[in-house]
Amino acid sequence: MEPFAKFLKQLAQQSANVAMGGALTFSFFMLLPILQVITQPPAKDLTIRTVDVANVPPPPPPPMEEEEPPEPEPEEPPPPAVDAAPLDLSQLELALNPGDGGFGGGDFSVNIGAVAGNGDEVDAIFSLSDLDQKPRVVYQPAPIYPPELARKGMQGTVYVLFLVDRNGRTKDLKVQKSTHPAFNNPALKAVKQWKFEPGKRKGKPVQFRMRVPITFQK
Amino acid sequence: MDLSLQEFWKQTLTIWGSGGWAMYALAADAFIIFYMGFSIFSRIRAKGYLYVSEKKMKRWIKAPEKGRGPVGKMIRFVMGARDLDEIGIFFDELNQTEIAPVNRDLKVMQTCVSIAPLMGLLGTVTGMLSTFAALAGGSGGDKTMGMVAGGISEALITTETGLLIALPGLIFQYKLAREHAQYKAFLAHLQTVCSQRIYKETLKKDAA
């Protein structure tokens, strides 16, 4: 009987070990969902209420009015964004299609075909992102720092907006923004001399528009 | 209450299932850790050495037949020696039967504890792999998003589980190692006292 009792005792001990091990394993695994529940934000208390719908007959239609409602006032165009706002294509056409007359000449010669998208693209102007092949600078002389300003130690940046035509020449230079007007002329003079290898779209060189910051500093 | 418990259990099963196959491995690892831990703990505590005071021990050494419990049995075993050499051999044997198995089990437990975070890491890697596979092969619809989310939750849950098991396992194992060291110290002390006793007896015998 002695060995049997010993065996029983051992068996009890082993099963107790197994049970404790299993229980601890289970409890630690239970920690996972409990942790998730604890870290969850508390659910909002939502009460559901039933609402009776009143069946109100629709109001009779208002009597026809003869007079037309006054035309809504045309909205003021938003002030042009100064920074990096890409110009509208048609707007650029206005600026660009003047023939030889400069800005004054062709103010209203809108190229409808280009705007509508079915005209040929040869004369259209593209922004950099529309180009298949990015333009490359061929010749880019640095602007001349006006000596009197250099002596004063003034620094500044001029944002020049310009077009590059199909030959790679810059034209229609405009100062978009500048920190000091004295820098405008030297910047424009420099940009005028720049030469590009024009960007390409569908294999053909096209005009495109660029904006370049030119910084004067010692 | 019953419904919310059921809901909670359902959620639990989902969370466990989201870990993938690594969860089975982690569960097995955790079971081995805690089973080993408890078996080592009960084996050391079953010796009852904590209840044998210094005085009691000396009394039992003087009269080994009075000794009770496992410690009394051990004392009877070693006090059968006739001289110092013999008691040294007896104590070596005692160490072999008492200390070595516990040492071995402690090592197994230690290995399992250090494996747990690594297994979690493995689950993380497989989860990330399935995430990327879903991203690469999916078309970006709801199904793909489901697969991606599943992979990520597998990745995170397994790591969490691995750490969650390793932390208590480490503490448990440390506690057991301490207990075992105490037991070893007790045995060493017992050896010293028994050897002194035998030495004194041999001196008396020589004098007589």
Side-chain angles (χ1 to χ4, degrees), chain B residues 62-81:
Chain B
K62 217 177 265 176
E65 66 281 352
K66 272 188 194 163
R68 262 177 291 135
V71 178
K73 215 167 155 187
M74 277 189 273
I75 289 174
R76 272 199 292 281
F77 172 65
V78 293
M79 287 313 279

Side-chain angles (χ1 to χ4, degrees), chain B residues 42 56-57 118 129 136 147 194 196:
Chain B
S42 62
K56 213 192 248 178
M57 189 166 86
L118 295 179
L129 279 180
M147 280 162 79
C194 289
Q196 273 177 356

Side-chain angles (χ1 to χ4, degrees), chain A:
Chain A
M1 213 54 207
E2 184 66 20
F4 183 68
K6 205 173 168 188
F7 171 75
L8 265 189
K9 204 177 160 192
Q10 254 183 5
L11 195 73
Q13 184 61 57
Q14 281 296 318
S15 47
N17 288 343
V18 169
M20 283 302 279
L24 263 188
T25 305
F26 181 76
S27 60
F28 280 116
F29 266 71
M30 274 315 270
L31 267 184
L32 282 175
I34 289 172
L35 273 180
Q36 296 233 339
V37 168
I38 288 171
T39 50
Q40 258 174 11
K44 279 178 192 153
D45 281 336
L46 295 175
T47 45
I48 296 171
R49 253 180 271 158
T50 52
V51 178
D52 287 332
V53 181
N55 278 323
V56 181
M64 280 295 222
E65 277 182 40
E66 285 302 306
E67 59 179 287
E68 284 185 8
E71 288 244 334
E73 289 224 354
E75 269 186 31
E76 290 258 333
V82 181
D83 211 347
L87 288 176
D88 191 43
L89 212 57
S90 56
Q91 236 176 315
L92 268 167
E93 282 298 327
L94 289 186
L96 249 213
N97 258 354
D100 294 326
F103 281 137
D107 269 348
F108 298 105
S109 64
V110 178
N111 189 344
I112 295 174
V115 176
N118 51 4
D120 59 355
E121 287 184 334
V122 176
D123 282 336
I125 304 155
F126 298 96
S127 67
L128 268 181
S129 53
D130 292 331
L131 299 177
D132 299 334
Q133 188 190 322
K134 296 277 179 246
R136 205 161 49 84
V137 176
V138 179
Y139 177 56
Q140 190 175 33
I144 299 159
Y145 202 153
E148 64 273 15
L149 292 175
R151 242 177 285 123
K152 280 187 210 162
M154 284 180 66
Q155 303 187 349
T157 305
V158 183
Y159 290 89
V160 181
L161 193 69
F162 60 96
L163 284 160
V164 179
D165 65 8
R166 268 169 282 152
N167 299 322
R169 295 261 175 214
T170 56
K171 64 180 193 181
D172 287 336
L173 288 78
K174 246 195 287 181
V175 173
Q176 191 196 21
K177 200 172 84 181
S178 86
T179 52
H180 195 279
F183 290 120
N184 292 3
N185 267 332
L188 289 177
K189 222 178 259 176
V191 175
K192 198 147 206 161
Q193 294 172 44
W194 288 4
K195 202 163 180 335
F196 285 84
E197 190 185 300
K200 283 180 181 167
R201 184 178 159 88
K202 294 178 186 168
K204 280 181 194 163
V206 291
Q207 316 190 69
F208 63 93
R209 152 171 64 76
M210 276 182 92
R211 196 182 71 129
V212 174
I214 293 173
T215 305
F216 292 88
Q217 64 181 40
K218 268 192 269 187

